[in-house]
Amino acid sequence: MPVVHVNWWKGAGETERRQLVEEVTGTVSRLAKCPEAAVTVIITDVEKDHWGLGGKLAGDL
């Protein structure tokens, strides 16, 4: 069923990842009218020097 990909800067802890998965799962389940067990959330931690923002590397900002 629904698969949600979240890319964010590396550095968030397990508590933040756990909260993100719970809240995204609940919202997608409610809006897609599907069971929470059908929702997959994939989190990718990205180094700031691998992320471009406004024409610059985020690590330089």
Side-chain angles (χ1 to χ4, degrees):
M1 298 297 278
V3 177
V4 179
H5 292 265
V6 177
N7 296 298
W8 63 0
W9 291 337
K10 188 174 182 180
E14 183 178 346
T15 301
E16 290 81 11
R17 288 191 307 274
R18 190 176 305 280
Q19 183 177 357
L20 176 72
V21 168
E22 289 174 4
E23 293 187 21
V24 168
T25 298
T27 298
V28 170
S29 171
R30 179 175 51 84
L31 293 174
K33 295 178 177 45
C34 69
E36 288 190 355
V39 179
T40 298
V41 180
I42 299 170
I43 301 171
T44 303
D45 292 325
V46 181
E47 297 284 349
K48 285 187 177 183
D49 63 349
H50 292 177
W51 188 296
L53 181 63
K56 299 180 189 269
L57 290 176
D60 294 338
L61 300 175

